Amino acid sequence: MFNRIDRLRLIALLLWTLPVAALLPLGLLWLWQSGNLPWWLAALLGCSAAGYGFQFWLRRRDRRLLAGAATTPDAQWPPRSKAAWDAIEAMAEALRPVDWPLADGPRLSTLGRDALELVARVYHPQVERPLLELTLPHALLIIERACRDLRTEVTAQIPMSHRLTLGDLARAYRWKATAEHLLDLYRAGRLVFNPAGALLSEAWERLRRQSFNAAWSDLHRWLLQEYVRKVGYYAIELYSGRLTLTEAAPAAVTPASRGDLTQAAADADARADEPLRILVMGRANAGKSSLINALFGRLTAPADVVPDPTAGVVPYRLERAGLTAALVFDTPGCDSPDLTPKAQERLAGTADLVLWVTAAQRPDRQDERATLDRLRAHWAARPDHHPPPLLVAVSHIDLLRPPREWEPPYDLVNPQGAKATNIRAAVEAAATDLAVPAADAIPVCLAAGRVYNVADSLWAALLERQDQANRVRLLRCLDEHKRAEDWALLRRQLAGAGRFLARLPGRLLP
């Protein structure tokens, strides 16, 4: 009975579409008889080429839009985080949409777990199952942040996504087989009654389907890549110490800097932002204290500025236009027993920028090079942190031969005369001896009444490296915030456990 009704409906459908289907062969016959068929074919090819070119342009534009909306790495990340991101990016680029259908939830969960494990492997290469090194609250936080950002991007990038429900997708999927069956019947009938029109329509349908499939494949790939990038991004944020469990803002000033500010000046504002920590190091009598004097731009009483040799590390608060408020630390000489190698490494680990002072007229820099190599090894052993930028101030250039000649300024690019030539040679020698780029070695004179090249070249070099120093400061502050958060969570958990144990006897007793 139902088969008979279906056949009758098919006959009715064919009778209704027969006049419309006959238009194409009759139109082609008329064009052939009137001699306009070649012109029509040329117009068809031209319009098809124009449409294909426009479609190709639209697809490239859509790809650029999707690429512009892609997740990018944070410029503040340290070297290990950048290596983890490179691995995530390689994983995202290798994804094939056919292997990861969006309707398969378990498969997508597996993909997210693979991204997490890839990042975990970078941070825990020696652990057999690095994913297990992730705490449960942090794993839930990564999924929460990734899904939140992906929701925002889908809403902003995909038209009508805010009106399309999961029920719509499920119903469309259920009707897909029925719709394809009816479409096949229609195409077969059209081929019988109108072969030319059917062939032309099939060609057009194939082109349209390829275009749709290509666009959907691009969108499918972008969604998968963004999912992997988002999960990887927040996993890197977590392992690098930037992702915290609480929403509390970090303290404006770390406890260590608050104490140093108090030591540097009694009226230091404790509510100020975290200062840059600039460490001045070098051999004894190289001019470290004189350099600090010159940085402040004023001469004060020696008792107020020059530290007592037995006082150890002395902080000074520096505020100058264009530079973030900073703490400048004067240290004992690297060749003196007042500052042990361990103490030097500890100081270097808390520094955002290092100013190394070396005397221009001294050829023996073996001790200085050994100290710098030890500090570089210390920084390299901390891939979760940026190494602080290092500037070398080559002091005592006024004592170079001829010693009695002093007529600044000196052009070191095209040196004229013995003094300028010797200054340039001394700067190049210092850069080579200390293994720093020549651009990071700045010649200065710090003698009273002869201060030279501090207010211009040295300050310009400091300002150029301020952004890099701020990245170091950010990670240092995040480390401090992470430690404070750990202690706060532990106190809260212990308090909660204590309240639970206190109520436990009352719950157990009838």
Side-chain angles (χ1 to χ4, degrees), residues 376-391:
R376 291 188 183 104
H378 176 71
W379 293 326
R382 306 167 68 210
D384 292 332
H385 297 77
H386 290 293
L390 173 66
L391 279 176

PDB file of all heavy atoms in Angstrom, residues 376-391:
ATOM      1  N   ARG A 376      75.232  33.010  34.087  1.00  0.00           N
ATOM      2  CA  ARG A 376      74.521  32.563  32.880  1.00  0.00           C
ATOM      3  C   ARG A 376      74.068  31.115  33.019  1.00  0.00           C
ATOM      4  O   ARG A 376      72.968  30.750  32.577  1.00  0.00           O
ATOM      5  CB  ARG A 376      75.431  32.726  31.662  1.00  0.00           C
ATOM      6  CG  ARG A 376      75.708  34.172  31.260  1.00  0.00           C
ATOM      7  CD  ARG A 376      76.450  34.227  29.936  1.00  0.00           C
ATOM      8  NE  ARG A 376      76.794  35.578  29.544  1.00  0.00           N
ATOM      9  CZ  ARG A 376      78.003  36.120  29.623  1.00  0.00           C
ATOM     10  NH1 ARG A 376      79.018  35.376  30.071  1.00  0.00           N
ATOM     11  NH2 ARG A 376      78.225  37.367  29.247  1.00  0.00           N
ATOM     12  N   ALA A 377      74.913  30.271  33.610  1.00  0.00           N
ATOM     13  CA  ALA A 377      74.513  28.879  33.834  1.00  0.00           C
ATOM     14  C   ALA A 377      73.325  28.812  34.800  1.00  0.00           C
ATOM     15  O   ALA A 377      72.425  27.981  34.638  1.00  0.00           O
ATOM     16  CB  ALA A 377      75.695  28.074  34.373  1.00  0.00           C
ATOM     17  N   HIS A 378      73.343  29.690  35.796  1.00  0.00           N
ATOM     18  CA  HIS A 378      72.229  29.738  36.749  1.00  0.00           C
ATOM     19  C   HIS A 378      70.937  30.137  36.044  1.00  0.00           C
ATOM     20  O   HIS A 378      69.880  29.556  36.286  1.00  0.00           O
ATOM     21  CB  HIS A 378      72.566  30.725  37.866  1.00  0.00           C
ATOM     22  CG  HIS A 378      71.453  30.927  38.849  1.00  0.00           C
ATOM     23  ND1 HIS A 378      71.065  29.965  39.751  1.00  0.00           N
ATOM     24  CD2 HIS A 378      70.621  31.997  39.046  1.00  0.00           C
ATOM     25  CE1 HIS A 378      70.063  30.422  40.477  1.00  0.00           C
ATOM     26  NE2 HIS A 378      69.779  31.646  40.067  1.00  0.00           N
ATOM     27  N   TRP A 379      71.004  31.114  35.158  1.00  0.00           N
ATOM     28  CA  TRP A 379      69.805  31.536  34.419  1.00  0.00           C
ATOM     29  C   TRP A 379      69.358  30.457  33.438  1.00  0.00           C
ATOM     30  O   TRP A 379      68.157  30.229  33.268  1.00  0.00           O
ATOM     31  CB  TRP A 379      70.091  32.835  33.666  1.00  0.00           C
ATOM     32  CG  TRP A 379      70.321  34.002  34.571  1.00  0.00           C
ATOM     33  CD1 TRP A 379      69.734  34.235  35.785  1.00  0.00           C
ATOM     34  CD2 TRP A 379      71.215  35.101  34.355  1.00  0.00           C
ATOM     35  NE1 TRP A 379      70.197  35.404  36.339  1.00  0.00           N
ATOM     36  CE2 TRP A 379      71.106  35.965  35.484  1.00  0.00           C
ATOM     37  CE3 TRP A 379      72.083  35.455  33.332  1.00  0.00           C
ATOM     38  CZ2 TRP A 379      71.841  37.141  35.590  1.00  0.00           C
ATOM     39  CZ3 TRP A 379      72.807  36.621  33.445  1.00  0.00           C
ATOM     40  CH2 TRP A 379      72.699  37.453  34.562  1.00  0.00           C
ATOM     41  N   ALA A 380      70.312  29.796  32.789  1.00  0.00           N
ATOM     42  CA  ALA A 380      69.949  28.755  31.821  1.00  0.00           C
ATOM     43  C   ALA A 380      69.293  27.559  32.499  1.00  0.00           C
ATOM     44  O   ALA A 380      68.511  26.840  31.870  1.00  0.00           O
ATOM     45  CB  ALA A 380      71.195  28.302  31.056  1.00  0.00           C
ATOM     46  N   ALA A 381      69.612  27.327  33.778  1.00  0.00           N
ATOM     47  CA  ALA A 381      69.008  26.214  34.512  1.00  0.00           C
ATOM     48  C   ALA A 381      67.578  26.516  34.940  1.00  0.00           C
ATOM     49  O   ALA A 381      66.927  25.659  35.538  1.00  0.00           O
ATOM     50  CB  ALA A 381      69.858  25.881  35.743  1.00  0.00           C
ATOM     51  N   ARG A 382      67.087  27.701  34.612  1.00  0.00           N
ATOM     52  CA  ARG A 382      65.709  28.085  34.947  1.00  0.00           C
ATOM     53  C   ARG A 382      64.955  28.417  33.660  1.00  0.00           C
ATOM     54  O   ARG A 382      64.688  29.585  33.354  1.00  0.00           O
ATOM     55  CB  ARG A 382      65.703  29.287  35.896  1.00  0.00           C
ATOM     56  CG  ARG A 382      66.548  29.085  37.151  1.00  0.00           C
ATOM     57  CD  ARG A 382      66.751  30.386  37.884  1.00  0.00           C
ATOM     58  NE  ARG A 382      65.505  30.891  38.464  1.00  0.00           N
ATOM     59  CZ  ARG A 382      65.232  32.181  38.650  1.00  0.00           C
ATOM     60  NH1 ARG A 382      66.106  33.096  38.261  1.00  0.00           N
ATOM     61  NH2 ARG A 382      64.097  32.551  39.201  1.00  0.00           N
ATOM     62  N   PRO A 383      64.604  27.395  32.850  1.00  0.00           N
ATOM     63  CA  PRO A 383      63.938  27.672  31.565  1.00  0.00           C
ATOM     64  C   PRO A 383      62.534  28.225  31.718  1.00  0.00           C
ATOM     65  O   PRO A 383      61.935  28.652  30.728  1.00  0.00           O
ATOM     66  CB  PRO A 383      63.918  26.295  30.884  1.00  0.00           C
ATOM     67  CG  PRO A 383      63.978  25.308  32.011  1.00  0.00           C
ATOM     68  CD  PRO A 383      64.818  25.950  33.068  1.00  0.00           C
ATOM     69  N   ASP A 384      61.981  28.214  32.934  1.00  0.00           N
ATOM     70  CA  ASP A 384      60.663  28.789  33.164  1.00  0.00           C
ATOM     71  C   ASP A 384      60.732  30.287  33.430  1.00  0.00           C
ATOM     72  O   ASP A 384      59.707  30.901  33.750  1.00  0.00           O
ATOM     73  CB  ASP A 384      59.978  28.097  34.353  1.00  0.00           C
ATOM     74  CG  ASP A 384      59.634  26.654  34.025  1.00  0.00           C
ATOM     75  OD1 ASP A 384      59.416  26.358  32.843  1.00  0.00           O
ATOM     76  OD2 ASP A 384      59.605  25.823  34.952  1.00  0.00           O
ATOM     77  N   HIS A 385      61.904  30.872  33.338  1.00  0.00           N
ATOM     78  CA  HIS A 385      62.081  32.300  33.574  1.00  0.00           C
ATOM     79  C   HIS A 385      62.900  32.907  32.442  1.00  0.00           C
ATOM     80  O   HIS A 385      63.702  32.219  31.801  1.00  0.00           O
ATOM     81  CB  HIS A 385      62.789  32.561  34.909  1.00  0.00           C
ATOM     82  CG  HIS A 385      62.016  32.100  36.102  1.00  0.00           C
ATOM     83  ND1 HIS A 385      61.946  30.775  36.471  1.00  0.00           N
ATOM     84  CD2 HIS A 385      61.264  32.787  37.006  1.00  0.00           C
ATOM     85  CE1 HIS A 385      61.199  30.668  37.551  1.00  0.00           C
ATOM     86  NE2 HIS A 385      60.768  31.855  37.893  1.00  0.00           N
ATOM     87  N   HIS A 386      62.680  34.175  32.208  1.00  0.00           N
ATOM     88  CA  HIS A 386      63.524  34.903  31.266  1.00  0.00           C
ATOM     89  C   HIS A 386      64.832  35.288  31.954  1.00  0.00           C
ATOM     90  O   HIS A 386      64.808  35.741  33.103  1.00  0.00           O
ATOM     91  CB  HIS A 386      62.825  36.182  30.793  1.00  0.00           C
ATOM     92  CG  HIS A 386      61.658  35.941  29.901  1.00  0.00           C
ATOM     93  ND1 HIS A 386      61.777  35.407  28.644  1.00  0.00           N
ATOM     94  CD2 HIS A 386      60.335  36.161  30.087  1.00  0.00           C
ATOM     95  CE1 HIS A 386      60.580  35.315  28.093  1.00  0.00           C
ATOM     96  NE2 HIS A 386      59.686  35.758  28.944  1.00  0.00           N
ATOM     97  N   PRO A 387      65.959  35.143  31.289  1.00  0.00           N
ATOM     98  CA  PRO A 387      67.194  35.681  31.868  1.00  0.00           C
ATOM     99  C   PRO A 387      67.152  37.207  31.832  1.00  0.00           C
ATOM    100  O   PRO A 387      66.674  37.796  30.858  1.00  0.00           O
ATOM    101  CB  PRO A 387      68.291  35.127  30.939  1.00  0.00           C
ATOM    102  CG  PRO A 387      67.595  34.874  29.642  1.00  0.00           C
ATOM    103  CD  PRO A 387      66.189  34.483  29.988  1.00  0.00           C
ATOM    104  N   PRO A 388      67.615  37.869  32.869  1.00  0.00           N
ATOM    105  CA  PRO A 388      67.581  39.338  32.856  1.00  0.00           C
ATOM    106  C   PRO A 388      68.530  39.889  31.806  1.00  0.00           C
ATOM    107  O   PRO A 388      69.596  39.315  31.554  1.00  0.00           O
ATOM    108  CB  PRO A 388      68.028  39.711  34.271  1.00  0.00           C
ATOM    109  CG  PRO A 388      68.817  38.544  34.750  1.00  0.00           C
ATOM    110  CD  PRO A 388      68.209  37.335  34.107  1.00  0.00           C
ATOM    111  N   PRO A 389      68.178  40.988  31.176  1.00  0.00           N
ATOM    112  CA  PRO A 389      69.114  41.602  30.214  1.00  0.00           C
ATOM    113  C   PRO A 389      70.376  42.070  30.935  1.00  0.00           C
ATOM    114  O   PRO A 389      70.340  42.495  32.095  1.00  0.00           O
ATOM    115  CB  PRO A 389      68.308  42.776  29.644  1.00  0.00           C
ATOM    116  CG  PRO A 389      67.223  43.021  30.620  1.00  0.00           C
ATOM    117  CD  PRO A 389      66.904  41.721  31.276  1.00  0.00           C
ATOM    118  N   LEU A 390      71.486  41.982  30.232  1.00  0.00           N
ATOM    119  CA  LEU A 390      72.795  42.313  30.798  1.00  0.00           C
ATOM    120  C   LEU A 390      73.423  43.445  29.996  1.00  0.00           C
ATOM    121  O   LEU A 390      73.556  43.358  28.775  1.00  0.00           O
ATOM    122  CB  LEU A 390      73.704  41.079  30.767  1.00  0.00           C
ATOM    123  CG  LEU A 390      75.166  41.276  31.160  1.00  0.00           C
ATOM    124  CD1 LEU A 390      75.290  41.657  32.621  1.00  0.00           C
ATOM    125  CD2 LEU A 390      75.975  40.019  30.855  1.00  0.00           C
ATOM    126  N   LEU A 391      73.771  44.520  30.682  1.00  0.00           N
ATOM    127  CA  LEU A 391      74.490  45.638  30.079  1.00  0.00           C
ATOM    128  C   LEU A 391      75.844  45.780  30.760  1.00  0.00           C
ATOM    129  O   LEU A 391      75.951  45.613  31.982  1.00  0.00           O
ATOM    130  CB  LEU A 391      73.702  46.941  30.238  1.00  0.00           C
ATOM    131  CG  LEU A 391      72.573  47.209  29.238  1.00  0.00           C
ATOM    132  CD1 LEU A 391      71.853  48.490  29.616  1.00  0.00           C
ATOM    133  CD2 LEU A 391      73.111  47.305  27.822  1.00  0.00           C
TER     134      LEU A 391
END
